[in-house]
Amino acid sequence: MASSTVAAARVGPASRGPARRARREATSGLLFALPAILFVVILFVVPLVLAAWMSLNDWPLIGSPAFNAPDNYVAISENQLFLSSIWFTIKYTAIVTVIFLVISLALALLVQSTRPGIGFFRTAFLLPAAVGLASSALLFYALYNNEYGPLGDMLRGLGLVEGNADFLSSSEAAFRSTVAMVTWRFAGFYMIIMLTGLQAIPVEVYEASRMDGASWWQTLRSITLPLLKPTILLVLVLSVTGSLLAFEPFYILTQGGPSNSTVTMVIAMFREAFTLFDLGSAAAIAMVLLVALVGINVAQLYLLRDKDPK
Amino acid sequence: MRNTRSMTVAAAGAVLALGLTACGGGQTEAGGGGDGGSNEPLQMWARAATAPQSQALVDAWNEAHDRPVELTVVPTDNYLQKVGVAAGSNELPCLMASDVVYMPNFLQQNLFQDITDRVESLEFADVLAPGHINLATQDGAVYGVPHNVSVSVISQNDVLLEQAGIDPGARLESLEQLAENAAAVSALGDDITGLYYTGNNAGSISFTHFPAIWASGGQALNEDGTESLLDSPEAVGVFDAFNRMDAEGISSESVRDESGATRNDVFATGNVGYMIGSSVIGAVPESDTLVIGVQGIPGVDGGRSAFVGGDAIGISASCDDPDGAWEFLAWTLSEEAQVDVFAQQGWLTVRADLAGNEYAAEDPRIVTLNELVGEGDTPKALNYGQTFNDPNGPALTAFRDALFGDDAAAALETHNGAITASLGG
């Protein structure tokens, strides 16, 4: 009994020491994190709350706002331009994501080795990513002009088209031309991400597969792609999110035309805000987009999660 | 232990510094509209698209006057947003220029002070660009004056015209004659285009085609800007004429895709006979193969007109020194400013009586442009911007169907109601 009392007396101060240290460390940690928390709150949470509040109001660009919930959300269901833009944006996202995955992986495999001169190709493929998206779109807009740009002449010279090449005049051509421009702009960027994933795969695994006599295709299918899954997932999330929010390429190249056939969801939102000056409706569309994007990304991460616990 | 404490203090210091920086920023930004006191600079906002003109006026004023004007150039696409935010907090600058087509929106929100008496006291009040004064007027009261002007014209390559046997100095009498001449230029070679304009931008099409309607004796909109008159015989006649030029290959196929971004570059190749848009004098370099001439935009059977764009400027409702602000505004309209600042740089004057000034007289093309400022018009509608500057609205669909479809009259009749609805009629 006596010994236990002594033990308890000894344990008391000793146990308060670590607890106090833990509290102090927690306080220090919070203080260290505070600048980041402040930035997140000021730059993300506050604007988000403001946008949510804006979506509940009739908010003209110039003039006083007035609470009108849920009119802005109801109006979305009657906004034909936005509704038709949903299917178009999904179609665009699906197509460019597949293209990005295939081309970026192919390019990464191409420049994976360390042969002399390979750096030139890596740089060349990555270079378009250094050009601003709007600048890229403007560059291609000039290239696609039959009176001014060289592309039409080149295609005619190669015998691929007769007369004027159709780059932006029809819905299909406008879509193809924009996808081509976006692929040029982003393929190198995603290639670099794929390349880092490829280089993280241990060489020993490839050596083992060679010892087992695996073909190139078997190695790709059974080793490279499974081990590249986290990288592919990253590319998928980045591409899907970016494509669902596509704006500049279409806004500059097609302005949503011809005949509103290439209007994306963000163009429809931008129009509400800065052409029709209805910030409330635009904010409502933004909130719907935000919820949809979060849902899509959660679904992607869930479906592609690692199902084999280590 | 000491390390932990010192790091904690450092982190707290960083947070405090951040907070102080934020507070400091707030204090610096506050009070943007305060122009009170005779020695404080007058604040002025202008959009980037026309900033060179505004800057030149401000620089010339500041050189010769004690009370300086401080110009803030706002990106053109952000101008309305910035005005909207500042208006909400009563922090508008004393002097606020605006794309003239948006003046009715600003007047409706009471963003400008009534300057009727001040404007009427000017000796040259009746020669100020009439379109601008009209858009700056509400219920008989004037709230703004022209700040700078631009006009829509037909630019021509005199070299190609001469090669096609056309006298470049002869005035275009009608759209029919424009079509004939452009066809003759187009026949010079496969690479040569007879006519070029912006065909994928409703704002640009209204800038280039409305004057042809006015020159034909018609109107594009009713008087209060709430009803589209684009299904009228005059408007249909204009679009039908351009539709035939497209069908006959006189105007380039690329017109359909042109949003305006490469229009001047196409004309700069020297392979285009006529181009409709804002003046390219000074913007496109001339050469042995490209000598630029200008023409007013003709109607179907005659006449000529122009869309007078540019910026109007007024004294904002937030300004507490309207006398000081007016002193600057009145000076910008004076002969000294218009001739010695604007005309000297090749820019157009906002006063018709100065059209033939000493600098313009050296270049007859500038005289023509200045004359067109007086002859042209500017449509007035509260919803003008959101109707005709909307790439996804009914106006662009109507224009494109009328210009490039099978039947201009049917297209305009079909879409006219939607345009009227957008105008708020």
Side-chain angles (χ1 to χ4, degrees), chain A residues 56-263:
Chain A
L56 303 175
N57 285 270
D58 175 16
W59 200 303
L61 191 60
I62 301 170
S64 306
F67 189 77
N68 73 339
D71 290 3
N72 293 329
Y73 288 93
V74 174
I76 292 175
S77 63
E78 294 157 9
N79 186 336
Q80 289 304 319
L81 191 73
F82 178 70
L83 294 178
S84 60
S85 75
I86 294 174
W87 167 238
F88 173 76
T89 312
I90 291 172
K91 183 180 90 169
Y92 165 75
T93 301
I95 289 173
V96 293
T97 300
V98 170
I99 291 175
F100 286 163
L101 282 173
V102 172
I103 292 188
S104 63
L105 181 60
L107 290 178
L109 289 169
L110 208 63
V111 299
Q112 184 187 9
S113 68
T114 49
R115 290 193 197 96
I118 208 75
F120 169 78
F121 289 100
R122 285 182 187 173
T123 309
F125 294 148
L126 182 64
L127 218 49
V131 182
L133 187 51
S135 307
S136 305
L138 208 51
L139 171 72
F140 271 70
Y141 181 78
L143 291 174
Y144 287 150
N145 187 310
N146 276 309
E147 302 291 325
Y148 178 66
L151 274 185
D153 292 333
M154 285 167 63
L155 293 178
R156 267 193 300 278
L158 293 169
L160 295 175
V161 295
E162 287 180 11
N164 274 338
D166 177 10
F167 290 113
L168 300 169
S169 297
S170 64
S171 305
E172 298 77 21
F175 182 71
R176 276 198 305 269
S177 300
T178 311
V179 168
M181 174 253 135
V182 170
T183 304
W184 176 84
R185 169 62 176 73
F186 283 103
F189 171 71
Y190 289 122
M191 175 202 76
I192 287 292
I193 298 178
M194 288 288 194
L195 198 57
T196 55
L198 283 175
Q199 288 176 342
I201 300 174
V203 182
E204 294 80 9
V205 185
Y206 285 114
E207 283 172 358
S209 73
R210 266 202 301 277
M211 299 271 289
D212 291 341
S215 65
W216 180 87
W217 175 247
Q218 282 173 319
T219 308
L220 178 73
R221 216 168 53 114
S222 306
I223 296 190
T224 306
L225 287 180
L227 291 175
L228 206 57
K229 198 168 153 186
T231 311
I232 292 173
L233 183 61
L234 175 65
V235 170
L236 201 62
V237 169
L238 288 176
S239 170
V240 167
T241 309
S243 305
L244 286 174
L245 295 176
F247 176 70
E248 297 101 319
F250 288 102
Y251 192 72
I252 291 171
L253 278 177
T254 70
Q255 296 200 305
S259 303
N260 290 341
S261 60
T262 58
V263 175

Side-chain angles (χ1 to χ4, degrees), chain A residues 73 76 82 85-86 89 244-246 264-270 282-296:
Chain A
Y73 288 93
I76 292 175
F82 178 70
S85 75
I86 294 174
T89 312
L244 286 174
L245 295 176
T264 64
M265 293 192 286
V266 177
I267 287 181
M269 181 182 75
F270 180 86
I285 293 176
M287 298 315 292
V288 170
L289 269 179
L290 176 74
V291 171
L293 275 177
V294 169
I296 288 168

Side-chain angles (χ1 to χ4, degrees), chain B residues 99-374:
Chain B
D99 185 336
V100 67
V101 299
Y102 288 109
M103 281 302 277
N105 299 71
F106 292 155
L107 298 192
Q108 194 199 32
Q109 298 297 331
N110 301 316
L111 300 191
F112 286 114
Q113 298 186 24
D114 184 345
I115 52 171
T116 311
D117 293 340
R118 297 178 193 271
V119 174
E120 284 176 355
S121 70
L122 296 170
E123 290 172 9
F124 45 81
D126 54 344
V127 291
L128 293 172
H132 283 225
I133 293 293
N134 181 32
L135 265 72
T137 301
Q138 182 173 267
D139 301 328
V142 181
Y143 294 87
V145 291
H147 182 51
N148 57 63
V149 290
S150 64
V151 286
S152 54
V153 291
I154 297 179
S155 299
Q156 62 187 33
N157 183 352
D158 290 352
V159 177
L160 287 181
L161 264 58
E162 281 174 358
Q163 286 174 12
I166 301 161
D167 175 10
R171 182 169 153 169
L172 279 172
E173 296 296 340
S174 65
L175 287 181
E176 188 66 33
Q177 192 186 11
L178 172 66
E180 282 172 19
N181 290 2
V185 171
S186 194
L188 290 173
D190 287 344
D191 292 341
I192 306 297
T193 297
L195 175 67
Y196 199 80
Y197 59 92
T198 299
N200 193 23
N201 182 320
S204 294
I205 296 171
S206 55
F207 188 62
T208 53
H209 289 54
F210 283 6
I213 299 171
W214 301 330
S216 303
Q219 287 294 330
L221 309 177
N222 70 344
E223 201 171 337
D224 61 3
T226 55
E227 185 187 349
S228 165
L229 303 177
L230 290 167
D231 59 350
S232 63
E234 294 86 358
V236 169
V238 166
F239 280 90
D240 192 48
F242 282 97
N243 184 293
R244 276 184 277 122
M245 286 188 244
D246 174 69
E248 292 166 17
I250 296 170
S251 58
S252 164
E253 273 186 39
S254 299
V255 164
R256 298 173 180 219
D257 303 332
E258 181 60 71
S259 65
T262 51
R263 185 189 58 215
N264 285 0
D265 299 312
V266 170
F267 189 71
T269 61
N271 293 332
V272 176
Y274 292 101
M275 186 185 76
I276 320 180
S278 42
S279 168
V280 296
I281 295 171
V284 171
E286 295 185 83
S287 64
D288 292 344
T289 56
L290 175 59
V291 175
I292 300 170
V294 293
Q295 300 263 6
I297 298 170
V300 175
D301 296 316
R304 72 171 187 178
S305 190
F307 190 122
V308 183
D311 295 332
I313 187 167
I315 301 170
S316 83
S318 309
C319 183
D320 52 16
D321 184 14
D323 292 337
W326 175 251
E327 202 180 332
F328 171 73
L329 284 191
W331 175 83
T332 64
L333 302 171
S334 68
E335 186 168 347
E336 180 191 352
Q338 289 294 309
V339 175
D340 295 343
V341 179
F342 269 16
Q344 191 195 15
Q345 306 226 33
W347 294 324
L348 305 182
T349 60
V350 303
R351 282 171 51 178
D353 61 327
L354 301 175
N357 64 73
E358 57 185 286
Y359 299 103
E362 293 170 9
D363 187 344
R365 301 172 303 178
I366 304 294
V367 176
T368 303
L369 295 176
N370 276 329
E371 286 171 356
L372 285 168
V373 174

